[in-house]
């Protein structure tokens, strides 16, 4: 056995060092927080808690440092472990839930707390993220007296998102703040100018915001990449203004440049991708789908926005991206993917009508218009406050599918547009197609009644009454039409209505028609015409050279001729590789004629000496005729030589062959 090793004598235990004083730990903790060294601050806070467990200040510093270090999960764990402490950490918990995009839980937790400035600010942020802009604006207005820094930025953003851009200028005047006080405020105000269609002013303010932002961020010693990311929203908004101004080339170039630079600012990148797809429309659908794929979660097989993008975009922006994705899939005829994406949208956007409209669009694309009408009708009945756009969409789908009765029914359920001339004309046409003439007349009567009692400057009564009279005259209701025409003449002095009245009354009361006829102004140049003498004439004399078609047109007395159908002009098709701009020398116009018929053809001269015959008539000269006879005999007796000669002649008289293409020449070489 190997000898046992001797055990080394144990060293004497070092005397334990006393823990640092709590005052020194808090001094170190404060120093780390001031230097934004949040990881070190957490370690020092843990040291304090090891000496003094349950210290409220140490726990609060630890939670705030974890939040600042973007360790939200650890912050929630620290809050959970500090439940025995008397201090209420509900505000910090609500903020952590807000950072995790658990907005409803965060809002529910805040509603149980006292209304302090921090809690109200956080509540306004949560409401903004949830899309409840009016409530967000109300909280910001209540906080105006507190003089919180940068509160006006949130207030203007809320007003613009709530559709109250017209209130922005009045709000700025009330709080006495200039639009150029910061680049963030200038950006938000430019958004309000865009909503008010003041595009040139918005463009100038965005350029000013970009300049102020570059100066401010440069003074803060930010790197160039960080400055570019901070100013990315301004660049995207400038491109959007150019798009609205019709400067499509500049907008597309700006969007493409932002996408190619692959900025770290995810919301700006997402908006640039979406707007570029909207500008391109159905062109290059595959490229647009690939660009949208850059916004989805990498590990997800389905289209789902990345978490960083989903947290920062507003509900309206996210809904627009999903809607454009569905439309691109429909254009690409990828019905399975479109159907799958549409099925999850109602859960994502429960308060929006867009998922139902997209579902109807998919059904129409699948030739299921009846199912689309049913879904839209059910949604309109369930949510009457959101039914306007749904009913309009249902009317459009039904009209396109040849269901005029359903279309008219849907359109008549939108009460605030029933009196508009466009709506009246559409309803009358739909009811006419459905055979409901009385219903169409009722629509016209209701519109006339509304406009008679309406106190508006743009009164459309005369237009609707004239169309109603024409409609009733067309459907055999002469008395009602005459009454409308008479009312127009008495109330508005309408000459066109007077003509219609005379024409209508002439069918039932000639004397009344003659009485109204006297109100017509005489046409110039007709004073010297003797009507009695004109009636005694035998008629118009035929004009020499007049075509039968012209006489027939004159006899039809106002009947319209059918216009000849215009032939569709087709673009000429050119051979492959042919450039019409540089066609080269023109081809020979006689290239298809036989050789003997061309102008350049010259027949061969005959040898006159071979056929010379001398002597008296009937004489034969043997010394010269014998060789020619022998040649004739040889050609006659040798059919092979004769065949070769004829084939040679035939080859000379045929058309010239065209040049071969490269592929055919290669084959001939092989």
């Amino acid at each position: 056995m190997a000898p046992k090793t001797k055990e080394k004598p144990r060293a004497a235990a070092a005397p334990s060092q006393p823990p640092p004083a709590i005052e020194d730990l808090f001094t170190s903790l404060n120093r780390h927080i001031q230097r934004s060294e949040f990881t070190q601050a957490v370690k020092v806070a843990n040291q304090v808690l090891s000496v003094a467990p349950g210290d409220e200040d140490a726990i609060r510093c630890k939670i705030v440092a974890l939040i600042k270090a973007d360790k939200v999960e650890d912050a929630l764990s620290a809050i959970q472990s500090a439940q025995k402490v008397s201090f209420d950490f509900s505000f910090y918990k609500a903020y952590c839930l807000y950072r995790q995009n658990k907005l409803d839980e965060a809002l529910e937790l805040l509603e149980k707390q006292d209304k302090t400035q921090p809690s109200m600010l956080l509540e306004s942020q949560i409401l903004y993220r949830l899309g409840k802009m009016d409530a967000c604006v109300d909280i910001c207005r209540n906080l105006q007296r507190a003089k919180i820094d940068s509160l006006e930025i949130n207030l203007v953003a809320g007003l613009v998102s709530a559709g109250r851009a017209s209130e922005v200028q009045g709000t700025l005047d009330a709080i006495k703040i200039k639009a150029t006080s910061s680049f963030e405020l200038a950006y938000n105000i430019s958004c309000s100018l865009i909503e008010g269609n003041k595009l040139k002013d918005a463009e100038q303010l965005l350029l000013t915001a970009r300049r102020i932002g570059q100066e401010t961020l440069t003074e803060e010693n930010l790197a160039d990449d960080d400055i570019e990311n901070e100013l990315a929203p301004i660049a995207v908004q400038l491109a959007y203004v150019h798009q609205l101004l019709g400067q499509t080339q500049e907008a597309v170039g700006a969007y493409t440049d932002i996408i190619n630079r692959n900025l770290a600012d995810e919301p700006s990148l997402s908006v640039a991708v979406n707007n570029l797809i909207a500008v391109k429309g159905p062109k290059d659908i595959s490229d647009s789908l690939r660009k949208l794929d850059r916004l989805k979660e990498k590990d997800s097989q389905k289209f789902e926005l990345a978490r960083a993008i989903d947290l920062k975009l507003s509900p309206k922006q996210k809904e627009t991206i999903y809607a454009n994705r569905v439309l691109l899939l429909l254009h690409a005829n990828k019905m399975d993917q479109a159907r799958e994406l549409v099925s999850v949208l109602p859960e994502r956007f429960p308060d929006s009508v867009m998922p139902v409209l997209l579902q109807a669009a998919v059904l129409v694309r699948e030739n299921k218009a009846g199912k689309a009408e049913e879904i839209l009708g059910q949604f309109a009945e369930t949510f009457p406050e959101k039914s306007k756009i749904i009913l309009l969409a249902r009317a459009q789908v039904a009209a396109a599918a040849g269901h005029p009765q359903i279309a008219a029914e849907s359109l008549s359920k939108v009460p605030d547009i029933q009196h508009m001339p466009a709506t009246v004309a559409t309803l009358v046409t739909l009811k006419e197609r459905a055979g409901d003439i009385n219903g169409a007349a009722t629509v016209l009567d209701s519109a006339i009644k509304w406009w008679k009692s309406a106190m508006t400057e743009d009164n459309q009564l005369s237009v609707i009454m004239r169309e109603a009279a024409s409609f009733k005259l067309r459907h055999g209701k002469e008395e009602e039409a005459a009454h409308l025409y008479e009312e127009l003449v008495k109330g508005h002095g309408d000459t066109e209505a007077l003509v219609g009245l005379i024409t209508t009354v002439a069918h039932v009361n000639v004397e009344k028609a003659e009485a109204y006829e006297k109100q017509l102004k005489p046409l110039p140049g007709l004073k010297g015409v003797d009507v009695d003498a004109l009636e005694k004439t035998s008629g118009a004399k035929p004009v020499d050279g007049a075509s039968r078609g012209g006489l027939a047109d004159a006899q039809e007395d106002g009947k319209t001729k059918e216009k000849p159908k215009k032939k569709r002009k087709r673009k000429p098709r050119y051979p492959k590789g042919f450039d019409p701009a540089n066609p080269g020398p023109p081809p020979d116009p006689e290239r298809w004629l036989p050789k003997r018929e061309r102008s350049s053809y010259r027949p061969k001269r005959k040898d006159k000496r071979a056929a010379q015959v001398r002597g008296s008539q009937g004489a034969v000269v043997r010394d010269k005729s014998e060789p020619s006879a022998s040649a004739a005999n040889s050609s006659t007796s040798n059919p092979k030589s004769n065949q070769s000669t004829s084939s040679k002649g035939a080859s000379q008289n045929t058309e010239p062959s065209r040049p071969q293409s490269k592929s055919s020449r290669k084959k001939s070489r092989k």
Side-chain angles (χ1 to χ4, degrees), residues 98-166:
Y98 163 73
R99 290 284 299 274
Q100 290 182 331
N101 206 33
K102 298 178 180 179
L103 304 178
D104 293 325
E105 297 180 28
L107 187 62
E108 183 180 357
L109 196 61
L110 280 177
E111 289 175 350
K112 299 177 182 178
Q113 305 300 314
D114 295 334
K115 298 296 181 181
T116 61
Q117 289 183 12
S119 65
M120 291 176 70
L121 274 175
L122 179 58
E123 185 179 358
S124 68
Q125 292 283 356
I126 294 172
L127 291 171
Y128 184 87
R129 190 77 66 82
L130 287 171
K132 300 177 180 180
M133 302 304 173
D134 290 326
C136 172
V137 170
D138 293 339
I139 293 177
C140 290
R141 288 195 184 280
N142 293 332
L143 289 172
Q144 282 183 3
R145 299 177 183 177
K147 296 182 180 180
I148 300 173
D149 293 338
S150 303
L151 179 65
E152 66 276 359
I153 298 175
N154 295 348
L155 178 57
V156 172
L159 287 172
V160 174
S161 301
R164 297 159 61 180
S166 58

Side-chain angles (χ1 to χ4, degrees), residues 412-463:
S412 61
K413 290 181 180 179
V414 186
D416 56 341
I417 64 170
Q418 294 301 305
H419 60 278
M420 301 302 293
T423 308
V424 173
T426 306
L427 278 172
V428 170
T429 303
L430 290 172
K431 288 184 177 294
E432 272 191 303
R433 290 182 181 178
D436 187 7
I437 305 302
N438 294 330
T442 304
V443 171
L444 290 167
D445 294 339
S446 301
I448 292 171
K449 183 179 179 181
W450 191 93
W451 281 105
K452 282 182 178 180
S453 59
M455 303 297 294
T456 59
E457 296 180 0
D458 186 20
N459 202 321
Q460 303 289 332
L461 178 60
S462 59
V463 177

Side-chain angles (χ1 to χ4, degrees), residues 147-439:
K147 296 182 180 180
I148 300 173
D149 293 338
S150 303
L151 179 65
E152 66 276 359
I153 298 175
N154 295 348
L155 178 57
V156 172
L159 287 172
V160 174
S161 301
R164 297 159 61 180
S166 58
E167 303 177 21
V168 170
Q169 190 58 47
T171 302
L172 294 176
D173 296 339
I175 59 181
K176 298 180 181 179
I177 292 181
K178 293 183 179 180
T180 56
S181 60
S182 66
F183 71 92
E184 297 99 332
L185 181 61
Y187 169 80
N188 287 343
I189 294 174
S190 69
C191 296
S192 70
L193 293 174
I194 293 172
E195 290 292 327
N197 203 26
K198 300 177 181 179
L199 302 180
K200 286 294 183 181
D201 296 340
E203 182 182 14
Q204 294 301 320
L205 190 56
L206 284 170
L207 293 173
T208 304
R210 185 170 63 182
R211 177 179 55 79
I212 296 173
Q214 288 174 345
E215 295 173 356
T216 304
L217 298 175
T218 303
E219 291 175 358
E220 296 177 2
N221 296 324
L222 264 70
D224 292 340
D225 292 341
D226 295 335
I227 293 176
E228 188 178 14
N229 288 328
E230 288 289 335
L231 300 180
I234 299 177
V236 175
Q237 201 72 341
L238 265 174
Y240 179 61
V241 171
H242 292 154
Q243 177 183 342
L244 295 179
L245 287 171
Q247 302 170 5
T248 308
Q249 298 279 348
E250 296 181 16
V252 170
Y255 290 140
T256 306
D257 182 56
I258 293 168
I259 295 169
N260 292 338
R261 280 185 289 171
N262 200 13
L263 299 176
D265 186 56
E266 291 91 352
S268 299
L269 180 64
S270 305
V271 174
V273 170
N274 179 79
N275 289 1
L276 180 61
I277 291 171
V279 172
K280 292 169 62 177
K283 297 179 182 178
D284 201 0
I285 299 174
S286 57
D287 180 67
S288 298
L289 289 172
R290 282 195 299 269
K291 283 184 169 59
L292 275 181
D293 287 338
R294 296 177 58 178
L295 308 181
K296 75 173 188 177
E297 198 72 41
K298 293 182 179 179
D299 299 333
S300 177
Q301 296 294 330
K302 301 177 181 180
F303 183 79
E304 185 176 355
L305 289 177
R307 180 172 178 78
I309 297 174
D310 190 68
L311 289 176
K312 296 180 180 179
L313 290 180
S314 66
K316 187 176 180 180
Q317 290 173 326
K318 290 186 284 188
E319 181 185 81
T320 304
I321 292 175
Y322 279 106
N324 284 340
R325 175 79 178 186
V326 173
L327 295 177
L328 287 174
L329 291 173
L330 291 179
H331 282 295
N333 204 25
K334 296 182 178 181
M335 302 305 300
D336 294 336
Q337 297 182 32
R339 198 182 303 109
E340 181 181 5
L341 183 56
V342 163
S343 63
V344 300
L345 293 184
E347 298 179 2
R348 293 183 180 274
F349 310 104
D351 297 331
S352 175
V353 299
M354 185 59 69
V356 184
L357 294 174
L358 292 174
Q359 188 177 3
V362 172
L363 291 171
V364 171
R365 189 72 171 78
E366 295 175 336
N367 295 325
K368 298 178 181 178
K371 184 66 175 176
E373 295 167 12
E374 181 182 352
I375 291 175
L376 293 172
Q378 291 175 355
F379 186 90
E381 292 178 0
T382 308
F383 303 98
E385 69 280 0
K386 305 175 185 177
S387 62
K388 181 176 180 179
I389 189 171
I390 297 295
L391 290 171
L392 292 174
R394 184 171 183 252
Q396 182 178 1
V397 171
H403 305 150
Q405 190 64 38
I406 297 176
E409 177 191 352
S410 301
L411 200 57
S412 61
K413 290 181 180 179
V414 186
D416 56 341
I417 64 170
Q418 294 301 305
H419 60 278
M420 301 302 293
T423 308
V424 173
T426 306
L427 278 172
V428 170
T429 303
L430 290 172
K431 288 184 177 294
E432 272 191 303
R433 290 182 181 178
D436 187 7
I437 305 302
N438 294 330

